[in-house]
């Protein structure tokens, strides 16, 4: 595994982390505690140390599964990132809650579910610019940073070209941007990544496998179960992925590993956070760090930080 500096947070994070939207039950599968434990045990074994979750992946369900694992492991070995702003009511059904008092209640509920007394990275979760411009919210969050409940603030932008919120990160004391970025959808390469580099922000790339489409597993015409939100996706994306696989992925290289390394070669990207269905997928993804596509001279490489 390789490690990078997560922007101004100065956190040392693995270039490949653990995305956990799937633990909330919206990916066509219900996860048991045993399965989650197996995946996180494997993550630790292969050197991953960042877990990304959210209050609305289930009603704190993903957080609770992670929390039960953390209770039996060394909390300080993990960088735990979660998010705020929504309440889960059912499959693809959420309401928005952005008031300062509401968010502080969400924070306490997340801490309880995660069975921890601090969150390493607390992220504004895909909110509009209107609710983002709330001085009372950011003041309240700053107080929680001072109190030690939050170590660092971040922004998970809903639109992957939202330069407004990205440019305002330093103003609201946010040090990390999370954004959709993958070979199919690489819009952040424009103004968003430039802004991140200018402000020395860490970047978490979510959906690096385009919700599994870049895994090489699915072909045009693939059908997903009704309880899998990917059933809403356009088949055109699967056609594009098939073309990428035939023209760009080197022979003998696993497409999913190639897709992760493709994201990580960008000088702005710190870490990718794919979701996994089992420990075997997780272990396979970790091997992306060994591909030639990976750049050892990346500006955020932890080794270069130590040697400088």
């Amino acid at each position: 595994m390789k490690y990078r500096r997560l922007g101004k947070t100065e956190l040392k994070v693995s270039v490949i982390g653990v995305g956990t939207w799937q633990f909330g039950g919206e990916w066509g599968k219900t996860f048991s505690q045993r399965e989650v434990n197996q995946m996180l045990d494997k993550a630790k074994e292969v050197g991953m140390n960042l877990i990304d979750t959210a209050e609305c992946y289930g009603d704190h369900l993903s957080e609770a599964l992670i929390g039960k694992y953390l209770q039996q492991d060394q909390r300080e070995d993990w960088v735990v990132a979660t998010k705020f702003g929504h309440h889960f009511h059912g499959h693809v059904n959420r309401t928005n809650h952005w008031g300062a008092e509401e968010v502080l209640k969400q924070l306490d509920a997340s801490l309880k579910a995660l069975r921890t007394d601090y969150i390493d990275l607390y992220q504004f979760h895909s909110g509009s610019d209107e609710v983002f411009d709330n001085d009372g919210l950011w003041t309240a969050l700053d107080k929680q940073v001072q109190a030690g409940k939050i170590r660092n603030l971040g922004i998970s932008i809903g639109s992957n070209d939202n330069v407004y919120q990205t440019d305002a990160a330093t103003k609201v004391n946010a040090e990390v941007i999370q954004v959709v970025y993958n070979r199919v959808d690489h819009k952040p390469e424009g103004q968003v990544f430039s802004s991140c580099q200018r402000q020395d922000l860490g970047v978490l790339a979510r959906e690096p496998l385009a919700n599994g489409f870049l895994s090489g597993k699915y072909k045009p015409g693939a059908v997903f179960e009704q309880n899998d939100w990917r059933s809403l996706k356009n088949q055109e994306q699967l056609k594009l992925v098939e073309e990428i696989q035939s023209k760009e992925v080197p022979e003998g290289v696993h497409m999913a590993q190639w897709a992760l390394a493709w994201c990580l070669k960008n000088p702005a990207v710190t870490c990718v956070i794919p979701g996994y269905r089992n420990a075997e997928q997780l272990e396979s993804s970790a091997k992306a760090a060994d591909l030639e596509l990976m750049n050892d001279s990346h500006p955020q490489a932890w080794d270069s930080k130590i040697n400088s």
Side-chain angles (χ1 to χ4, degrees):
M1 184 54 61
K2 293 180 175 64
Y3 299 88
R4 290 178 181 172
R5 164 184 166 271
L6 188 62
K8 290 182 286 191
T9 70
E10 294 294 339
L11 290 168
K12 177 185 179 181
V13 298
S14 53
V15 295
I16 302 165
V18 184
T20 65
W21 181 4
Q22 71 279 15
F23 292 172
E26 293 183 287
W27 286 69
K29 175 178 169 60
T30 299
F31 287 83
S32 67
Q33 187 65 55
R34 180 172 175 271
E35 288 173 312
V36 170
N37 290 352
Q38 287 176 338
M39 275 190 273
L40 295 181
D41 277 342
K42 180 59 68 174
K44 191 169 187 178
E45 179 185 320
V46 299
M48 295 181 188
N49 72 343
L50 185 140
I51 304 173
D52 180 78
T53 185
E55 83 298 356
C56 63
Y57 296 168
D59 187 5
H60 295 279
L61 173 58
S62 175
E63 291 178 331
L65 289 165
I66 294 164
K68 288 181 181 178
Y69 176 83
L70 292 176
Q71 190 177 38
Q72 66 184 28
D73 199 53
Q74 298 296 316
R75 170 66 180 89
E76 61 271 20
D77 290 345
W78 295 95
V79 174
V80 178
T82 192
K83 311 181 191 76
F84 64 86
H86 307 285
H87 181 66
F88 175 91
H89 298 284
H91 182 60
V92 297
N93 180 14
R94 292 156 173 74
T95 51
N96 299 326
H97 301 272
W98 297 107
E101 290 186 8
E102 293 176 296
V103 171
L104 294 182
K105 288 180 181 177
Q106 292 178 45
L107 171 61
D108 286 338
S110 289
L111 288 166
K112 182 178 180 181
L114 287 164
R115 303 189 183 205
T116 184
D117 56 5
Y118 70 96
I119 291 168
D120 295 287
L121 178 63
Y122 200 46
Q123 302 162 97
F124 177 89
H125 192 184
S126 301
S128 68
D129 293 345
E130 181 180 3
V131 296
F132 178 87
D133 287 332
N134 180 350
D135 289 340
L137 170 62
W138 295 105
T139 298
L141 290 171
D142 279 337
K143 289 180 179 178
Q144 298 307 305
V145 172
Q146 294 166 19
K149 288 185 177 181
I150 300 169
R151 296 285 174 88
N152 303 279
L153 293 170
I155 305 166
S156 180
I157 56 177
S159 169
N160 60 355
D161 60 353
N162 191 320
V163 183
Y164 179 80
Q165 292 180 19
T166 305
D167 280 347
T170 299
K171 175 185 173 183
V172 299
N173 294 325
E175 299 172 316
V176 176
I177 295 294
Q178 184 177 142
V179 62
V180 172
Y181 180 61
N182 55 59
R183 173 58 188 84
V184 173
D185 189 346
H186 42 90
K187 194 178 293 183
E189 289 177 344
Q191 292 178 292
V192 167
F193 281 174
S194 294
S195 181
C196 290
Q197 290 177 291
R198 186 168 62 250
Q199 297 176 77
D200 190 22
L201 305 177
V203 172
L204 301 181
R206 70 178 182 268
E207 302 179 22
L209 298 179
N211 304 128
F213 290 176
L214 284 165
S215 67
K217 178 180 178 181
Y218 303 108
K219 303 296 181 185
V223 178
F224 298 93
E225 298 292 334
Q226 286 188 344
N227 66 339
D228 188 327
W229 83 280
R230 290 174 295 179
S231 63
L232 305 174
K233 289 294 228 179
N234 194 312
Q235 287 290 322
E236 288 301 316
Q237 196 170 67
L238 285 172
K239 293 178 182 178
L240 175 58
V241 166
E242 188 174 49
E243 183 177 343
I244 291 169
Q245 185 169 21
S246 65
K247 294 183 178 180
E248 299 183 31
V249 181
E251 186 176 353
V253 175
H254 193 288
M255 186 177 191
Q257 295 169 5
W258 174 88
L260 297 180
W262 184 92
C263 294
L264 288 165
K265 70 181 176 63
N266 189 290
V269 176
T270 313
C271 171
V272 293
I273 45 174
Y276 314 97
R277 295 182 69 87
N278 52 56
E280 290 74 25
Q281 282 187 356
L282 185 150
E283 184 174 25
S284 177
S285 292
K287 295 176 183 177
D290 298 326
L291 294 184
E292 290 184 9
L293 196 61
M294 287 288 294
N295 185 356
D296 289 333
S297 60
H298 192 279
Q300 298 174 32
W302 191 262
D303 288 345
S304 63
K305 176 183 185 296
I306 294 172
N307 295 331
S308 62

